[in-house]
Amino acid sequence: MPEPPPTQYRYAWERDNYETLKSFWPFYLHEHSRRSNRLLHFVGSTLALLLAAVGIGTGTYILMLFALISGYAFAWFGHFFIEKNRPATFKYPLKSFISDWRMWYAMLTGNIDRELKKFGIVSR
């Protein structure tokens, strides 16, 4: 059984308003507690990066549109059909976009479980 999170983070995901990225991050992680949803986010974001790089590199700028679609399609599928929650992008677009990349980096570096544990979030 994981130890409870520090008091300042306990139930951070139950708030209605997040003024800072620091206060938003536990909420964001809680909304991504299922491993399969996080994997879909990672795949969609990685594909978006590749499409954007190829689009810029070749001057095929239509790929930028496909990069955007890719990133959001994978993520929203994960929220609607796996996590069964509403993407935070609808209410917090900029904080969600930044947190998507923070989660992507945490997954890439193998630190996502440490981040979840820090806030007492069980990965399912």
Side-chain angles (χ1 to χ4, degrees):
M1 177 104 176
E3 62 184 69
T7 306
Q8 74 264 30
Y9 298 122
R10 194 166 296 149
Y11 307 114
W13 48 86
E14 293 180 348
R15 297 182 193 157
D16 276 337
N17 192 14
Y18 301 93
E19 302 212 1
T20 66
L21 275 171
K22 184 178 179 177
S23 67
F24 180 75
W25 181 237
F27 165 75
Y28 181 86
L29 288 174
H30 182 264
E31 296 295 292
H32 298 84
S33 62
R34 295 191 181 274
R35 200 171 265 121
S36 52
N37 183 32
R38 291 192 307 271
L39 182 60
L40 280 173
H41 277 64
F42 188 84
V43 169
S45 294
T46 302
L47 183 57
L49 274 178
L50 292 171
L51 287 168
V54 171
I56 291 168
T58 63
T60 313
Y61 298 110
I62 188 73
L63 290 179
M64 300 298 283
L65 175 63
F66 290 114
L68 188 64
I69 292 169
S70 163
Y72 284 108
F74 278 83
W76 289 0
F77 182 89
H79 282 287
F80 291 128
F81 298 106
I82 295 171
E83 204 78 55
K84 303 214 188 308
N85 62 19
R86 191 168 160 239
T89 301
F90 297 150
K91 189 169 182 182
Y92 305 99
L94 184 58
K95 287 180 177 81
S96 292
F97 182 78
I98 294 168
S99 296
D100 280 340
W101 291 109
R102 183 176 177 184
M103 182 175 71
W104 181 87
Y105 185 74
M107 292 175 71
L108 182 70
T109 58
N111 292 318
I112 192 66
D113 288 333
R114 181 182 55 120
E115 285 294 308
L116 292 166
K117 184 178 179 182
K118 184 190 320 182
F119 301 107
I121 299 167
V122 177
S123 181
R124 300 180 277 147

PDB file of all heavy atoms in Angstrom, residues 18 24-25 27-32 37 41 72 75-76 79-80 83 85-97 99-100:
ATOM      1  N   TYR A  18      -7.224  25.894 -10.811  1.00  0.00           N
ATOM      2  CA  TYR A  18      -5.793  25.700 -10.642  1.00  0.00           C
ATOM      3  C   TYR A  18      -5.097  26.938 -11.177  1.00  0.00           C
ATOM      4  O   TYR A  18      -5.118  27.188 -12.366  1.00  0.00           O
ATOM      5  CB  TYR A  18      -5.320  24.447 -11.384  1.00  0.00           C
ATOM      6  CG  TYR A  18      -6.032  23.214 -10.897  1.00  0.00           C
ATOM      7  CD1 TYR A  18      -7.186  22.761 -11.536  1.00  0.00           C
ATOM      8  CD2 TYR A  18      -5.580  22.537  -9.786  1.00  0.00           C
ATOM      9  CE1 TYR A  18      -7.850  21.645 -11.067  1.00  0.00           C
ATOM     10  CE2 TYR A  18      -6.242  21.413  -9.309  1.00  0.00           C
ATOM     11  CZ  TYR A  18      -7.382  20.979  -9.955  1.00  0.00           C
ATOM     12  OH  TYR A  18      -8.043  19.877  -9.492  1.00  0.00           O
ATOM     13  N   PHE A  24      -1.761  22.367 -10.705  1.00  0.00           N
ATOM     14  CA  PHE A  24      -2.488  21.629 -11.736  1.00  0.00           C
ATOM     15  C   PHE A  24      -1.921  20.221 -11.949  1.00  0.00           C
ATOM     16  O   PHE A  24      -2.660  19.290 -12.262  1.00  0.00           O
ATOM     17  CB  PHE A  24      -2.417  22.415 -13.054  1.00  0.00           C
ATOM     18  CG  PHE A  24      -3.128  21.769 -14.208  1.00  0.00           C
ATOM     19  CD1 PHE A  24      -4.509  21.790 -14.295  1.00  0.00           C
ATOM     20  CD2 PHE A  24      -2.405  21.136 -15.221  1.00  0.00           C
ATOM     21  CE1 PHE A  24      -5.163  21.198 -15.366  1.00  0.00           C
ATOM     22  CE2 PHE A  24      -3.050  20.543 -16.297  1.00  0.00           C
ATOM     23  CZ  PHE A  24      -4.431  20.580 -16.363  1.00  0.00           C
ATOM     24  N   TRP A  25      -0.625  20.059 -11.784  1.00  0.00           N
ATOM     25  CA  TRP A  25       0.055  18.799 -12.099  1.00  0.00           C
ATOM     26  C   TRP A  25      -0.546  17.572 -11.394  1.00  0.00           C
ATOM     27  O   TRP A  25      -0.794  16.556 -12.055  1.00  0.00           O
ATOM     28  CB  TRP A  25       1.552  18.957 -11.819  1.00  0.00           C
ATOM     29  CG  TRP A  25       2.402  17.774 -12.098  1.00  0.00           C
ATOM     30  CD1 TRP A  25       3.223  17.142 -11.208  1.00  0.00           C
ATOM     31  CD2 TRP A  25       2.574  17.071 -13.344  1.00  0.00           C
ATOM     32  NE1 TRP A  25       3.879  16.108 -11.827  1.00  0.00           N
ATOM     33  CE2 TRP A  25       3.508  16.030 -13.131  1.00  0.00           C
ATOM     34  CE3 TRP A  25       2.016  17.211 -14.616  1.00  0.00           C
ATOM     35  CZ2 TRP A  25       3.901  15.152 -14.134  1.00  0.00           C
ATOM     36  CZ3 TRP A  25       2.412  16.331 -15.631  1.00  0.00           C
ATOM     37  CH2 TRP A  25       3.332  15.319 -15.385  1.00  0.00           C
ATOM     38  N   PHE A  27      -3.603  17.120 -10.358  1.00  0.00           N
ATOM     39  CA  PHE A  27      -4.894  16.905 -11.021  1.00  0.00           C
ATOM     40  C   PHE A  27      -4.685  16.233 -12.371  1.00  0.00           C
ATOM     41  O   PHE A  27      -5.364  15.260 -12.713  1.00  0.00           O
ATOM     42  CB  PHE A  27      -5.621  18.246 -11.196  1.00  0.00           C
ATOM     43  CG  PHE A  27      -6.763  18.197 -12.175  1.00  0.00           C
ATOM     44  CD1 PHE A  27      -7.966  17.600 -11.829  1.00  0.00           C
ATOM     45  CD2 PHE A  27      -6.633  18.747 -13.440  1.00  0.00           C
ATOM     46  CE1 PHE A  27      -9.024  17.547 -12.744  1.00  0.00           C
ATOM     47  CE2 PHE A  27      -7.678  18.701 -14.351  1.00  0.00           C
ATOM     48  CZ  PHE A  27      -8.876  18.090 -14.002  1.00  0.00           C
ATOM     49  N   TYR A  28      -3.744  16.754 -13.145  1.00  0.00           N
ATOM     50  CA  TYR A  28      -3.462  16.203 -14.465  1.00  0.00           C
ATOM     51  C   TYR A  28      -3.063  14.726 -14.356  1.00  0.00           C
ATOM     52  O   TYR A  28      -3.563  13.883 -15.103  1.00  0.00           O
ATOM     53  CB  TYR A  28      -2.347  17.014 -15.135  1.00  0.00           C
ATOM     54  CG  TYR A  28      -2.025  16.519 -16.508  1.00  0.00           C
ATOM     55  CD1 TYR A  28      -2.730  16.965 -17.609  1.00  0.00           C
ATOM     56  CD2 TYR A  28      -1.028  15.565 -16.697  1.00  0.00           C
ATOM     57  CE1 TYR A  28      -2.452  16.487 -18.874  1.00  0.00           C
ATOM     58  CE2 TYR A  28      -0.737  15.085 -17.954  1.00  0.00           C
ATOM     59  CZ  TYR A  28      -1.453  15.546 -19.042  1.00  0.00           C
ATOM     60  OH  TYR A  28      -1.187  15.053 -20.296  1.00  0.00           O
ATOM     61  N   LEU A  29      -2.180  14.402 -13.424  1.00  0.00           N
ATOM     62  CA  LEU A  29      -1.762  13.013 -13.242  1.00  0.00           C
ATOM     63  C   LEU A  29      -2.935  12.128 -12.839  1.00  0.00           C
ATOM     64  O   LEU A  29      -3.062  10.998 -13.320  1.00  0.00           O
ATOM     65  CB  LEU A  29      -0.648  12.923 -12.191  1.00  0.00           C
ATOM     66  CG  LEU A  29       0.706  13.445 -12.605  1.00  0.00           C
ATOM     67  CD1 LEU A  29       1.656  13.411 -11.417  1.00  0.00           C
ATOM     68  CD2 LEU A  29       1.274  12.663 -13.780  1.00  0.00           C
ATOM     69  N   HIS A  30      -3.775  12.641 -11.957  1.00  0.00           N
ATOM     70  CA  HIS A  30      -4.944  11.864 -11.529  1.00  0.00           C
ATOM     71  C   HIS A  30      -5.859  11.545 -12.712  1.00  0.00           C
ATOM     72  O   HIS A  30      -6.432  10.457 -12.795  1.00  0.00           O
ATOM     73  CB  HIS A  30      -5.717  12.632 -10.454  1.00  0.00           C
ATOM     74  CG  HIS A  30      -6.897  11.881  -9.933  1.00  0.00           C
ATOM     75  ND1 HIS A  30      -8.163  12.078 -10.416  1.00  0.00           N
ATOM     76  CD2 HIS A  30      -6.984  10.924  -8.985  1.00  0.00           C
ATOM     77  CE1 HIS A  30      -8.997  11.260  -9.794  1.00  0.00           C
ATOM     78  NE2 HIS A  30      -8.313  10.559  -8.917  1.00  0.00           N
ATOM     79  N   GLU A  31      -5.989  12.476 -13.628  1.00  0.00           N
ATOM     80  CA  GLU A  31      -6.822  12.272 -14.814  1.00  0.00           C
ATOM     81  C   GLU A  31      -6.183  11.301 -15.810  1.00  0.00           C
ATOM     82  O   GLU A  31      -6.802  10.945 -16.808  1.00  0.00           O
ATOM     83  CB  GLU A  31      -7.091  13.613 -15.505  1.00  0.00           C
ATOM     84  CG  GLU A  31      -7.891  14.582 -14.668  1.00  0.00           C
ATOM     85  CD  GLU A  31      -9.301  14.086 -14.401  1.00  0.00           C
ATOM     86  OE1 GLU A  31     -10.088  14.012 -15.361  1.00  0.00           O
ATOM     87  OE2 GLU A  31      -9.608  13.762 -13.237  1.00  0.00           O
ATOM     88  N   HIS A  32      -4.948  10.898 -15.541  1.00  0.00           N
ATOM     89  CA  HIS A  32      -4.209   9.968 -16.401  1.00  0.00           C
ATOM     90  C   HIS A  32      -3.715   8.777 -15.580  1.00  0.00           C
ATOM     91  O   HIS A  32      -2.589   8.319 -15.743  1.00  0.00           O
ATOM     92  CB  HIS A  32      -3.027  10.685 -17.067  1.00  0.00           C
ATOM     93  CG  HIS A  32      -3.456  11.794 -17.955  1.00  0.00           C
ATOM     94  ND1 HIS A  32      -3.737  13.061 -17.470  1.00  0.00           N
ATOM     95  CD2 HIS A  32      -3.678  11.833 -19.286  1.00  0.00           C
ATOM     96  CE1 HIS A  32      -4.121  13.822 -18.480  1.00  0.00           C
ATOM     97  NE2 HIS A  32      -4.101  13.109 -19.588  1.00  0.00           N
ATOM     98  N   ASN A  37      -4.088   4.715 -21.011  1.00  0.00           N
ATOM     99  CA  ASN A  37      -4.368   6.083 -21.443  1.00  0.00           C
ATOM    100  C   ASN A  37      -3.062   6.859 -21.598  1.00  0.00           C
ATOM    101  O   ASN A  37      -2.871   7.576 -22.585  1.00  0.00           O
ATOM    102  CB  ASN A  37      -5.299   6.775 -20.451  1.00  0.00           C
ATOM    103  CG  ASN A  37      -5.683   8.174 -20.886  1.00  0.00           C
ATOM    104  OD1 ASN A  37      -5.800   8.479 -22.071  1.00  0.00           O
ATOM    105  ND2 ASN A  37      -5.883   9.044 -19.923  1.00  0.00           N
ATOM    106  N   HIS A  41      -1.427   8.638 -24.986  1.00  0.00           N
ATOM    107  CA  HIS A  41      -0.910  10.011 -25.012  1.00  0.00           C
ATOM    108  C   HIS A  41       0.527  10.030 -25.541  1.00  0.00           C
ATOM    109  O   HIS A  41       0.878  10.869 -26.373  1.00  0.00           O
ATOM    110  CB  HIS A  41      -0.928  10.633 -23.614  1.00  0.00           C
ATOM    111  CG  HIS A  41      -2.243  11.198 -23.208  1.00  0.00           C
ATOM    112  ND1 HIS A  41      -3.371  10.444 -23.045  1.00  0.00           N
ATOM    113  CD2 HIS A  41      -2.598  12.472 -22.912  1.00  0.00           C
ATOM    114  CE1 HIS A  41      -4.362  11.222 -22.659  1.00  0.00           C
ATOM    115  NE2 HIS A  41      -3.928  12.460 -22.579  1.00  0.00           N
ATOM    116  N   TYR A  72      -4.072  15.052 -30.436  1.00  0.00           N
ATOM    117  CA  TYR A  72      -5.350  15.120 -29.726  1.00  0.00           C
ATOM    118  C   TYR A  72      -6.217  13.881 -29.926  1.00  0.00           C
ATOM    119  O   TYR A  72      -6.918  13.464 -29.003  1.00  0.00           O
ATOM    120  CB  TYR A  72      -6.111  16.392 -30.117  1.00  0.00           C
ATOM    121  CG  TYR A  72      -5.531  17.605 -29.452  1.00  0.00           C
ATOM    122  CD1 TYR A  72      -4.805  18.539 -30.170  1.00  0.00           C
ATOM    123  CD2 TYR A  72      -5.681  17.813 -28.086  1.00  0.00           C
ATOM    124  CE1 TYR A  72      -4.242  19.652 -29.555  1.00  0.00           C
ATOM    125  CE2 TYR A  72      -5.130  18.917 -27.458  1.00  0.00           C
ATOM    126  CZ  TYR A  72      -4.415  19.828 -28.197  1.00  0.00           C
ATOM    127  OH  TYR A  72      -3.860  20.923 -27.575  1.00  0.00           O
ATOM    128  N   ALA A  75      -5.078  11.120 -27.517  1.00  0.00           N
ATOM    129  CA  ALA A  75      -5.358  11.523 -26.139  1.00  0.00           C
ATOM    130  C   ALA A  75      -6.854  11.478 -25.836  1.00  0.00           C
ATOM    131  O   ALA A  75      -7.269  10.937 -24.806  1.00  0.00           O
ATOM    132  CB  ALA A  75      -4.804  12.920 -25.886  1.00  0.00           C
ATOM    133  N   TRP A  76      -7.654  12.044 -26.707  1.00  0.00           N
ATOM    134  CA  TRP A  76      -9.089  12.086 -26.445  1.00  0.00           C
ATOM    135  C   TRP A  76      -9.713  10.703 -26.488  1.00  0.00           C
ATOM    136  O   TRP A  76     -10.626  10.416 -25.719  1.00  0.00           O
ATOM    137  CB  TRP A  76      -9.772  13.046 -27.414  1.00  0.00           C
ATOM    138  CG  TRP A  76      -9.445  14.488 -27.131  1.00  0.00           C
ATOM    139  CD1 TRP A  76      -8.636  14.970 -26.133  1.00  0.00           C
ATOM    140  CD2 TRP A  76      -9.906  15.619 -27.845  1.00  0.00           C
ATOM    141  NE1 TRP A  76      -8.571  16.334 -26.198  1.00  0.00           N
ATOM    142  CE2 TRP A  76      -9.330  16.771 -27.233  1.00  0.00           C
ATOM    143  CE3 TRP A  76     -10.728  15.794 -28.942  1.00  0.00           C
ATOM    144  CZ2 TRP A  76      -9.581  18.061 -27.680  1.00  0.00           C
ATOM    145  CZ3 TRP A  76     -10.970  17.092 -29.388  1.00  0.00           C
ATOM    146  CH2 TRP A  76     -10.406  18.196 -28.764  1.00  0.00           C
ATOM    147  N   HIS A  79      -9.132   9.296 -23.106  1.00  0.00           N
ATOM    148  CA  HIS A  79      -9.989   9.854 -22.056  1.00  0.00           C
ATOM    149  C   HIS A  79     -11.426   9.359 -22.166  1.00  0.00           C
ATOM    150  O   HIS A  79     -12.013   8.952 -21.180  1.00  0.00           O
ATOM    151  CB  HIS A  79      -9.968  11.386 -22.099  1.00  0.00           C
ATOM    152  CG  HIS A  79      -8.729  11.936 -21.494  1.00  0.00           C
ATOM    153  ND1 HIS A  79      -8.496  11.934 -20.141  1.00  0.00           N
ATOM    154  CD2 HIS A  79      -7.629  12.480 -22.064  1.00  0.00           C
ATOM    155  CE1 HIS A  79      -7.311  12.459 -19.897  1.00  0.00           C
ATOM    156  NE2 HIS A  79      -6.764  12.802 -21.057  1.00  0.00           N
ATOM    157  N   PHE A  80     -11.978   9.395 -23.356  1.00  0.00           N
ATOM    158  CA  PHE A  80     -13.389   9.024 -23.516  1.00  0.00           C
ATOM    159  C   PHE A  80     -13.643   7.529 -23.346  1.00  0.00           C
ATOM    160  O   PHE A  80     -14.660   7.139 -22.779  1.00  0.00           O
ATOM    161  CB  PHE A  80     -13.917   9.498 -24.870  1.00  0.00           C
ATOM    162  CG  PHE A  80     -14.026  10.997 -24.985  1.00  0.00           C
ATOM    163  CD1 PHE A  80     -13.446  11.661 -26.053  1.00  0.00           C
ATOM    164  CD2 PHE A  80     -14.692  11.750 -24.033  1.00  0.00           C
ATOM    165  CE1 PHE A  80     -13.540  13.042 -26.176  1.00  0.00           C
ATOM    166  CE2 PHE A  80     -14.792  13.133 -24.135  1.00  0.00           C
ATOM    167  CZ  PHE A  80     -14.205  13.777 -25.211  1.00  0.00           C
ATOM    168  N   GLU A  83     -10.127   6.043 -19.835  1.00  0.00           N
ATOM    169  CA  GLU A  83     -10.172   6.717 -18.539  1.00  0.00           C
ATOM    170  C   GLU A  83     -11.608   7.075 -18.158  1.00  0.00           C
ATOM    171  O   GLU A  83     -11.929   7.221 -16.992  1.00  0.00           O
ATOM    172  CB  GLU A  83      -9.317   7.980 -18.609  1.00  0.00           C
ATOM    173  CG  GLU A  83      -8.786   8.474 -17.308  1.00  0.00           C
ATOM    174  CD  GLU A  83      -7.588   7.712 -16.780  1.00  0.00           C
ATOM    175  OE1 GLU A  83      -6.587   7.580 -17.489  1.00  0.00           O
ATOM    176  OE2 GLU A  83      -7.680   7.268 -15.627  1.00  0.00           O
ATOM    177  N   ASN A  85     -13.202   9.920 -18.651  1.00  0.00           N
ATOM    178  CA  ASN A  85     -13.318  11.258 -18.089  1.00  0.00           C
ATOM    179  C   ASN A  85     -13.197  12.278 -19.221  1.00  0.00           C
ATOM    180  O   ASN A  85     -12.977  11.906 -20.371  1.00  0.00           O
ATOM    181  CB  ASN A  85     -12.272  11.497 -16.987  1.00  0.00           C
ATOM    182  CG  ASN A  85     -10.839  11.413 -17.467  1.00  0.00           C
ATOM    183  OD1 ASN A  85     -10.554  11.509 -18.658  1.00  0.00           O
ATOM    184  ND2 ASN A  85      -9.925  11.218 -16.547  1.00  0.00           N
ATOM    185  N   ARG A  86     -13.390  13.510 -18.877  1.00  0.00           N
ATOM    186  CA  ARG A  86     -13.361  14.586 -19.873  1.00  0.00           C
ATOM    187  C   ARG A  86     -11.948  15.165 -19.945  1.00  0.00           C
ATOM    188  O   ARG A  86     -11.378  15.499 -18.902  1.00  0.00           O
ATOM    189  CB  ARG A  86     -14.343  15.658 -19.420  1.00  0.00           C
ATOM    190  CG  ARG A  86     -14.631  16.689 -20.437  1.00  0.00           C
ATOM    191  CD  ARG A  86     -15.823  17.526 -19.990  1.00  0.00           C
ATOM    192  NE  ARG A  86     -15.783  18.764 -20.730  1.00  0.00           N
ATOM    193  CZ  ARG A  86     -15.702  19.956 -20.196  1.00  0.00           C
ATOM    194  NH1 ARG A  86     -15.700  20.088 -18.890  1.00  0.00           N
ATOM    195  NH2 ARG A  86     -15.653  21.017 -20.950  1.00  0.00           N
ATOM    196  N   PRO A  87     -11.375  15.290 -21.124  1.00  0.00           N
ATOM    197  CA  PRO A  87     -10.015  15.838 -21.220  1.00  0.00           C
ATOM    198  C   PRO A  87      -9.916  17.219 -20.566  1.00  0.00           C
ATOM    199  O   PRO A  87     -10.769  18.073 -20.771  1.00  0.00           O
ATOM    200  CB  PRO A  87      -9.768  15.944 -22.731  1.00  0.00           C
ATOM    201  CG  PRO A  87     -10.704  14.951 -23.343  1.00  0.00           C
ATOM    202  CD  PRO A  87     -11.913  14.936 -22.445  1.00  0.00           C
ATOM    203  N   ALA A  88      -8.856  17.402 -19.802  1.00  0.00           N
ATOM    204  CA  ALA A  88      -8.641  18.679 -19.116  1.00  0.00           C
ATOM    205  C   ALA A  88      -8.399  19.814 -20.108  1.00  0.00           C
ATOM    206  O   ALA A  88      -8.539  20.984 -19.761  1.00  0.00           O
ATOM    207  CB  ALA A  88      -7.459  18.558 -18.153  1.00  0.00           C
ATOM    208  N   THR A  89      -8.079  19.471 -21.337  1.00  0.00           N
ATOM    209  CA  THR A  89      -7.847  20.472 -22.387  1.00  0.00           C
ATOM    210  C   THR A  89      -9.054  21.394 -22.552  1.00  0.00           C
ATOM    211  O   THR A  89      -8.887  22.562 -22.880  1.00  0.00           O
ATOM    212  CB  THR A  89      -7.568  19.762 -23.734  1.00  0.00           C
ATOM    213  OG1 THR A  89      -6.432  18.934 -23.562  1.00  0.00           O
ATOM    214  CG2 THR A  89      -7.326  20.737 -24.841  1.00  0.00           C
ATOM    215  N   PHE A  90     -10.240  20.866 -22.327  1.00  0.00           N
ATOM    216  CA  PHE A  90     -11.444  21.675 -22.527  1.00  0.00           C
ATOM    217  C   PHE A  90     -11.522  22.845 -21.542  1.00  0.00           C
ATOM    218  O   PHE A  90     -12.028  23.901 -21.873  1.00  0.00           O
ATOM    219  CB  PHE A  90     -12.698  20.817 -22.405  1.00  0.00           C
ATOM    220  CG  PHE A  90     -12.802  19.740 -23.458  1.00  0.00           C
ATOM    221  CD1 PHE A  90     -13.451  18.552 -23.177  1.00  0.00           C
ATOM    222  CD2 PHE A  90     -12.251  19.903 -24.717  1.00  0.00           C
ATOM    223  CE1 PHE A  90     -13.564  17.560 -24.141  1.00  0.00           C
ATOM    224  CE2 PHE A  90     -12.354  18.918 -25.690  1.00  0.00           C
ATOM    225  CZ  PHE A  90     -13.007  17.740 -25.392  1.00  0.00           C
ATOM    226  N   LYS A  91     -11.035  22.624 -20.309  1.00  0.00           N
ATOM    227  CA  LYS A  91     -11.122  23.673 -19.291  1.00  0.00           C
ATOM    228  C   LYS A  91      -9.788  24.395 -19.074  1.00  0.00           C
ATOM    229  O   LYS A  91      -9.768  25.572 -18.750  1.00  0.00           O
ATOM    230  CB  LYS A  91     -11.602  23.073 -17.969  1.00  0.00           C
ATOM    231  CG  LYS A  91     -11.915  24.116 -16.924  1.00  0.00           C
ATOM    232  CD  LYS A  91     -12.630  23.528 -15.730  1.00  0.00           C
ATOM    233  CE  LYS A  91     -12.971  24.616 -14.729  1.00  0.00           C
ATOM    234  NZ  LYS A  91     -13.618  24.079 -13.546  1.00  0.00           N
ATOM    235  N   TYR A  92      -8.690  23.679 -19.262  1.00  0.00           N
ATOM    236  CA  TYR A  92      -7.349  24.225 -19.008  1.00  0.00           C
ATOM    237  C   TYR A  92      -6.446  23.958 -20.220  1.00  0.00           C
ATOM    238  O   TYR A  92      -5.521  23.149 -20.141  1.00  0.00           O
ATOM    239  CB  TYR A  92      -6.730  23.570 -17.772  1.00  0.00           C
ATOM    240  CG  TYR A  92      -7.572  23.658 -16.528  1.00  0.00           C
ATOM    241  CD1 TYR A  92      -8.359  22.588 -16.120  1.00  0.00           C
ATOM    242  CD2 TYR A  92      -7.575  24.818 -15.764  1.00  0.00           C
ATOM    243  CE1 TYR A  92      -9.124  22.661 -14.968  1.00  0.00           C
ATOM    244  CE2 TYR A  92      -8.346  24.902 -14.613  1.00  0.00           C
ATOM    245  CZ  TYR A  92      -9.119  23.824 -14.220  1.00  0.00           C
ATOM    246  OH  TYR A  92      -9.878  23.906 -13.088  1.00  0.00           O
ATOM    247  N   PRO A  93      -6.674  24.596 -21.348  1.00  0.00           N
ATOM    248  CA  PRO A  93      -5.933  24.248 -22.568  1.00  0.00           C
ATOM    249  C   PRO A  93      -4.414  24.428 -22.472  1.00  0.00           C
ATOM    250  O   PRO A  93      -3.674  23.517 -22.854  1.00  0.00           O
ATOM    251  CB  PRO A  93      -6.531  25.150 -23.647  1.00  0.00           C
ATOM    252  CG  PRO A  93      -7.348  26.165 -22.937  1.00  0.00           C
ATOM    253  CD  PRO A  93      -7.666  25.644 -21.584  1.00  0.00           C
ATOM    254  N   LEU A  94      -3.941  25.541 -21.960  1.00  0.00           N
ATOM    255  CA  LEU A  94      -2.499  25.763 -21.918  1.00  0.00           C
ATOM    256  C   LEU A  94      -1.825  24.888 -20.859  1.00  0.00           C
ATOM    257  O   LEU A  94      -0.794  24.265 -21.125  1.00  0.00           O
ATOM    258  CB  LEU A  94      -2.177  27.238 -21.667  1.00  0.00           C
ATOM    259  CG  LEU A  94      -0.696  27.601 -21.696  1.00  0.00           C
ATOM    260  CD1 LEU A  94      -0.076  27.234 -23.041  1.00  0.00           C
ATOM    261  CD2 LEU A  94      -0.510  29.085 -21.419  1.00  0.00           C
ATOM    262  N   LYS A  95      -2.418  24.816 -19.671  1.00  0.00           N
ATOM    263  CA  LYS A  95      -1.853  23.968 -18.618  1.00  0.00           C
ATOM    264  C   LYS A  95      -1.843  22.507 -19.058  1.00  0.00           C
ATOM    265  O   LYS A  95      -0.894  21.764 -18.765  1.00  0.00           O
ATOM    266  CB  LYS A  95      -2.642  24.138 -17.321  1.00  0.00           C
ATOM    267  CG  LYS A  95      -2.393  25.456 -16.620  1.00  0.00           C
ATOM    268  CD  LYS A  95      -3.205  25.544 -15.343  1.00  0.00           C
ATOM    269  CE  LYS A  95      -2.933  26.818 -14.589  1.00  0.00           C
ATOM    270  NZ  LYS A  95      -3.649  27.966 -15.091  1.00  0.00           N
ATOM    271  N   SER A  96      -2.870  22.079 -19.762  1.00  0.00           N
ATOM    272  CA  SER A  96      -2.932  20.698 -20.240  1.00  0.00           C
ATOM    273  C   SER A  96      -1.867  20.436 -21.296  1.00  0.00           C
ATOM    274  O   SER A  96      -1.217  19.389 -21.283  1.00  0.00           O
ATOM    275  CB  SER A  96      -4.307  20.387 -20.831  1.00  0.00           C
ATOM    276  OG  SER A  96      -5.267  20.394 -19.822  1.00  0.00           O
ATOM    277  N   PHE A  97      -1.698  21.371 -22.212  1.00  0.00           N
ATOM    278  CA  PHE A  97      -0.695  21.206 -23.261  1.00  0.00           C
ATOM    279  C   PHE A  97       0.705  21.076 -22.653  1.00  0.00           C
ATOM    280  O   PHE A  97       1.467  20.165 -23.005  1.00  0.00           O
ATOM    281  CB  PHE A  97      -0.749  22.391 -24.230  1.00  0.00           C
ATOM    282  CG  PHE A  97       0.226  22.283 -25.365  1.00  0.00           C
ATOM    283  CD1 PHE A  97      -0.042  21.456 -26.442  1.00  0.00           C
ATOM    284  CD2 PHE A  97       1.417  22.995 -25.343  1.00  0.00           C
ATOM    285  CE1 PHE A  97       0.855  21.332 -27.492  1.00  0.00           C
ATOM    286  CE2 PHE A  97       2.327  22.883 -26.391  1.00  0.00           C
ATOM    287  CZ  PHE A  97       2.038  22.048 -27.465  1.00  0.00           C
ATOM    288  N   SER A  99       1.432  20.209 -19.564  1.00  0.00           N
ATOM    289  CA  SER A  99       1.475  18.985 -18.757  1.00  0.00           C
ATOM    290  C   SER A  99       1.548  17.734 -19.620  1.00  0.00           C
ATOM    291  O   SER A  99       2.148  16.736 -19.202  1.00  0.00           O
ATOM    292  CB  SER A  99       0.263  18.928 -17.823  1.00  0.00           C
ATOM    293  OG  SER A  99       0.321  20.000 -16.900  1.00  0.00           O
ATOM    294  N   ASP A 100       0.944  17.768 -20.811  1.00  0.00           N
ATOM    295  CA  ASP A 100       1.080  16.636 -21.745  1.00  0.00           C
ATOM    296  C   ASP A 100       2.554  16.366 -22.014  1.00  0.00           C
ATOM    297  O   ASP A 100       2.994  15.212 -21.993  1.00  0.00           O
ATOM    298  CB  ASP A 100       0.407  16.941 -23.089  1.00  0.00           C
ATOM    299  CG  ASP A 100      -1.089  16.745 -23.075  1.00  0.00           C
ATOM    300  OD1 ASP A 100      -1.596  16.038 -22.189  1.00  0.00           O
ATOM    301  OD2 ASP A 100      -1.752  17.319 -23.957  1.00  0.00           O
TER     302      ASP A 100
END
